Amino acid sequence: MNMGGSLRINKFACICLFFLMFLIIYWKNSGAQSTEIDKLDMVNLKELLRAAIQAAERGGKKVVDGKQHALNIKSKGKTKEGANDPVTDADYASHCAMYYSLKKTFPGVAVVSEEHSSDDPACENQEAIDVEDLPRDPLIHYLYDEKVLSKDVTVWIDPLDATQEYTEGLHNYVTTMVCVAIKGVPIIGVIHQPFAAQTYWAWITKEMSSNIHLVPMMDELEPTHPRVVVSRSHAGDVANVATKAFGPDSTVTPAGGAGYKVMGLINNTFDVYLHVTAIKKWDICAGDAILRYISGKMTTMKGETIDYSHNSAFKVSDGILATRSHHKFYLQKMPEFMSGDH
Ligand SMILES: *[C@@H]1O[C@H](CO)[C@@H](O)[C@H](O)[C@H]1NC(C)=O
């Protein structure tokens, strides 16, 4: 009995000793790791949020200024569905302002833009954003700093969403957008309406802009009268899909611009944003982030979440289903025709 007891104590002492050694080794290693990380390129998300807002607003100014001049509308060709894909000097001016002001402020961060630099060498002549110099937004000011590795960050920018409507003078549809994704997950979304001089933003789990007014959601089991917003180009086809999927009591509203449509979901003007053809990630990333903040959801029509890392494809081929609530309910109504359609 006694023998066994002392053996047990020895065993216990051994385990303690091992545990202690393990702790010492672990401490040493983690210490080494954190000093290594300090040397790596980090970006402060709070600064990135403030810069993203500033970039969207700088772009928006170019978009509004563009209306002072001839628009110089060119075509980037036709989309797969045959809609014209126009581009104007304002798209490029806004791209230059947004892309280079972000790139100069955060050189280590990947920025993906809808447009690329025009041949104009002045495009790159943009001032870096002096975050300390920006007007103080108390909602952001009192948030904690949060640093992440620059290499994990992708910034998606849309210098002018709804160019077609812009050329038609339908200014309320027009937005500029910035989205910050970390390891492919959208974390910060900024949607700026230059003609309404409004900027909407959200930073997941932290804060959203005070101009986003959340309407309490009805807790219906099965929404029977969904208000669906769809693209203005080829609205007819999508309207057919929507009424077939969600029933004859759904109302379908065509609208321009992905940014505009998501804002309509957020302020409870619409229940569903349905897009049945291919769409680019700079069109949807910012909206995806803001929707996530308010517990909405955006997926492909097949229900897949969207990867926003910079080495992913720019295009989402399987359409978009975005909702404020009841995502699963709407998703189950999606027709099977999507599979193998592309
Ligand atoms: C809600 O958003 C839609 C689409 O962006 C807009 O047309 C409408 O004016 C907004 N309504 C309110 C009350 O903000």
Side-chain angles (χ1 to χ4, degrees):
M1 285 288 268
N2 248 344
M3 281 290 282
S6 68
L7 200 68
R8 230 174 282 141
I9 286 164
N10 281 344
K11 245 190 200 165
F12 180 71
C14 269
I15 288 167
C16 278
L17 207 68
F18 268 115
F19 185 66
L20 213 70
M21 274 162 65
F22 172 78
L23 269 186
I24 289 167
I25 290 167
Y26 181 78
W27 269 329
K28 277 204 163 157
N29 276 350
S30 66
Q33 241 167 29
S34 70
T35 51
E36 248 165 58
I37 283 176
D38 285 343
K39 277 184 240 144
L40 290 171
D41 191 15
M42 306 287 283
V43 57
N44 184 339
L45 288 180
K46 187 172 148 181
E47 281 175 15
L48 191 48
L49 166 63
R50 298 180 73 195
I53 293 168
Q54 175 68 6
E57 292 177 355
R58 280 188 188 180
K61 192 166 180 314
K62 299 291 181 190
V63 170
V64 174
D65 286 351
K67 281 283 163 174
Q68 315 293 319
H69 316 287
L71 284 184
N72 191 17
I73 306 162
K74 295 188 198 99
S75 179
K76 287 195 280 186
K78 290 209 188 300
T79 64
K80 219 171 173 183
E81 296 72 43
N84 185 35
D85 191 8
V87 62
T88 68
D89 286 351
D91 291 73
Y92 290 121
S94 177
H95 160 80
C96 296
M98 292 174 72
Y99 181 86
Y100 285 104
S101 52
L102 285 169
K103 206 62 198 166
K104 285 189 176 169
T105 316
F106 306 98
V109 166
V111 183
V112 185
S113 171
E114 171 169 15
E115 307 303 336
H116 29 258
S117 306
S118 52
D119 299 329
D120 184 3
C123 183
E124 289 186 37
N125 294 342
Q126 310 292 334
E127 267 179 56
I129 298 164
D130 183 357
V131 177
E132 293 311 313
D133 214 30
L134 296 174
R136 180 178 291 188
D137 180 338
L139 280 182
I140 302 174
H141 183 73
Y142 294 108
L143 295 174
Y144 288 114
D145 289 328
E146 190 167 308
K147 291 186 177 176
V148 295
L149 288 172
S150 297
K151 68 174 176 59
D152 290 339
V153 178
T154 308
V155 178
W156 294 83
I157 61 175
D158 192 335
L160 204 177
D161 187 37
T163 302
Q164 177 62 39
E165 286 73 17
Y166 177 71
T167 65
E168 292 174 42
L170 301 170
H171 295 153
N172 56 332
Y173 293 134
V174 174
T175 59
T176 63
M177 294 189 274
V178 181
C179 177
V180 178
I182 298 169
K183 294 189 174 174
V185 181
I187 297 294
I188 291 172
V190 178
I191 300 181
H192 173 61
Q193 295 181 321
F195 293 97
Q198 287 288 321
T199 308
Y200 305 92
W201 58 263
W203 178 7
I204 309 266
T205 73
K206 309 278 184 194
E207 194 53 88
M208 68 174 186
S209 57
S210 57
N211 55 355
I212 298 179
H213 303 293
L214 291 183
V215 184
M217 300 304 294
M218 298 259 263
D219 225 357
E220 311 168 87
L221 238 55
E222 306 218 323
T224 49
H225 294 69
R227 298 157 300 169
V228 188
V229 65
V230 303
S231 170
R232 273 180 84 233
S233 46
H234 294 261
D237 303 342
V238 199
N240 284 339
V241 176
T243 39
K244 233 188 228 165
F246 308 131
D249 291 332
S250 33
T251 49
V252 179
T253 308
Y260 177 90
K261 290 194 267 286
V262 168
M263 284 318 302
L265 275 186
I266 289 163
N267 75 14
N268 202 30
T269 301
F270 307 114
D271 302 301
V272 181
Y273 165 23
L274 181 64
H275 187 97
V276 297
T277 54
I279 192 162
K280 303 288 178 30
K281 288 179 182 171
W282 42 75
D283 285 327
I284 53 175
C285 184
D288 194 336
I290 300 178
L291 269 179
R292 281 172 194 240
Y293 181 87
I294 62 166
S295 336
K297 200 159 183 177
M298 181 186 283
T299 64
T300 69
M301 284 174 73
K302 289 179 175 171
E304 284 151 357
T305 52
I306 297 147
D307 172 16
Y308 297 96
S309 35
H310 56 87
N311 49 7
S312 66
F314 294 164
K315 195 165 79 175
V316 178
S317 303
D318 296 324
I320 288 295
L321 177 73
T323 58
R324 179 79 170 71
S325 68
H326 296 89
H327 195 81
K328 215 169 177 181
F329 170 82
Y330 291 113
L331 193 59
Q332 279 162 358
K333 305 269 178 192
M334 288 290 93
E336 281 99 347
F337 75 86
M338 281 306 298
S339 43
D341 202 33
H342 297 276

